[in-house]
Amino acid sequence: MTNPEHFGTIGVVGAGAYGAALALAAARAGRQVLLWARDGATVAAIDETRIAPRLPGVALPENVSATTERGALAAADAILVTVPTQSLRQVCEGLAQALPAGRPVISAAKGIEQTTGLFATQVVAQAWPGSIPVILSGPSFAADIGRGLPTAVTLAAEDPELAQALAEALSSPAFRIYHSADPRGVEIGGAAKNVLAIAAGIAIGLGYGESARAALVARGFAELRRFGEAHGAQGETLMGLSGLGDVVLSCASAQSRNFAFGLALGQGRSVAEASVGALAEGAFTASVLARMAKARGIEMPIAEAVAAIIAGGSGVREAVTGLLARPLRAEL
């Protein structure tokens, strides 16, 4: 399955804003799309209005079909799973019971499983035996994809020919996908940048200004690179779209859920108040990222500070001020 034409039908699991946006992107690339949603009301709304409730203002074309039946996804040549990292295992286990193995399963999750310390492709491999794990990540807001604004992301698989074929099958003029054979680097960039976005949001929420944000982002990216290299990620991946590119987007915009979460913490809101009903991905990732770094002797003081703030073991202002006063290493 290394020819783009082999992927004529794409299954998208999850009809939230990002899932609907990726379904729309695949449809624009000329694919038939099966969009699975758990909620029957969501499917009914799409059938009736052609608009996904979580992605308002953007009509889904007729080559997107919505369903609540997991079995309908058996017609898909590849499955794109758009649920959060902490839900990925449960969803893939359910799909494994309903669908045959052997097809690519593309995760768009940006995090590390909190209970196991496993990355997204590892979770997919465990939860859906016989599947072919793939990762999709990069600087992309659902609203931008939905509006057809120029966006570029990275898709990675251990098989470089498969990665290329999927990237070509899902790309369109406004949604460019670059392919990679470094899935670990892509998923580390996606996971760690969320923690950095929380830190950047906290700094702005505290009123520390743009210079402080820039310092935290630069030092945080050095942490990301140390962690990535220790786990076998390629340097060019970490410097690319799914690493540096996603750091720039997530740490600079209040559209980023993780940045907005950090901003609220910096403004004095509690974790519960800042989460607005559901924790941001980086809130789950911070503690496991810090724990994994410590186990390998990797210095990640920003990740540690974010984890401590979320756990309630450190004052927000004291933690961030301490980071900014910390002596610099040669490589930041």
Side-chain angles (χ1 to χ4, degrees), residues 82-112:
T82 67
V83 302
T85 306
Q86 310 311 318
S87 302
L88 183 61
R89 180 178 296 276
Q90 180 182 11
V91 168
C92 284
E93 287 174 346
L95 292 169
Q97 293 174 7
L99 303 174
R103 73 194 71 199
V105 176
I106 309 164
S107 171
K110 297 182 178 182
I112 301 171

Side-chain angles (χ1 to χ4, degrees), residues 191 202 207 259:
I202 290 172
F259 179 88

Side-chain angles (χ1 to χ4, degrees), residues 31-313:
R31 309 299 126 184
Q32 293 294 317
V33 181
L34 301 169
L35 177 59
W36 180 86
R38 189 189 311 271
D39 179 19
T42 296
V43 171
I46 292 172
D47 288 343
E48 186 174 335
T49 68
R50 304 307 305 165
I51 294 175
R54 298 287 296 278
L55 191 67
V58 180
L60 298 174
E62 292 301 320
N63 54 333
V64 176
S65 301
T67 181
T68 58
E69 299 296 326
R70 285 182 296 194
L73 297 173
D77 302 305
I79 305 292
L80 209 168
V81 184
T82 67
V83 302
T85 306
Q86 310 311 318
S87 302
L88 183 61
R89 180 178 296 276
Q90 180 182 11
V91 168
C92 284
E93 287 174 346
L95 292 169
Q97 293 174 7
L99 303 174
R103 73 194 71 199
V105 176
I106 309 164
S107 171
K110 297 182 178 182
I112 301 171
E113 191 173 48
Q114 195 172 42
T115 56
T116 64
L118 295 179
F119 299 103
T121 56
Q122 294 173 313
V123 173
V124 171
Q126 278 193 359
W128 194 342
S131 66
I132 306 170
V134 181
I135 187 75
L136 177 74
S137 190
S140 52
F141 288 140
D144 292 346
I145 298 172
R147 293 168 59 196
L149 300 179
T151 306
V153 296
T154 301
L155 182 147
E158 291 186 356
D159 179 349
E161 292 184 359
L162 173 63
Q164 181 176 355
L166 284 168
E168 291 177 3
L170 296 172
S171 288
S172 59
F175 189 67
R176 179 72 178 273
I177 303 178
Y178 292 82
H179 57 88
S180 168
D182 180 22
R184 185 67 72 248
V186 170
E187 53 199 348
I188 285 175
K193 67 89 183 176
N194 282 336
V195 180
L196 303 185
I198 293 173
I202 290 172
I204 295 300
L206 287 169
Y208 282 175
E210 297 300 333
S211 298
R213 169 164 37 189
L216 281 173
V217 170
R219 299 182 70 173
F221 185 68
E223 290 187 14
L224 183 156
R225 289 193 64 179
R226 288 197 292 271
F227 185 87
E229 289 165 0
H231 285 82
Q234 298 172 13
E236 56 265 35
T237 304
L238 302 176
M239 289 295 296
L241 287 167
S242 58
L244 180 60
D246 218 352
V247 168
V248 171
L249 181 71
S250 297
C251 293
S253 173
Q255 289 186 66
S256 162
R257 186 172 179 181
N258 291 278
F259 179 88
F261 174 73
L263 181 69
L265 292 177
Q267 292 171 338
R269 295 181 177 86
S270 67
V271 170
E273 292 170 334
S275 63
V276 194
L279 279 175
E281 282 267 46
F284 292 103
T285 301
S287 61
V288 64
L289 185 67
R291 185 171 69 245
M292 291 170 68
K294 186 175 181 179
R296 292 202 179 201
I298 305 166
E299 288 189 50
M300 298 193 75
I302 294 176
E304 291 172 4
V306 171
I309 289 169
I310 293 170

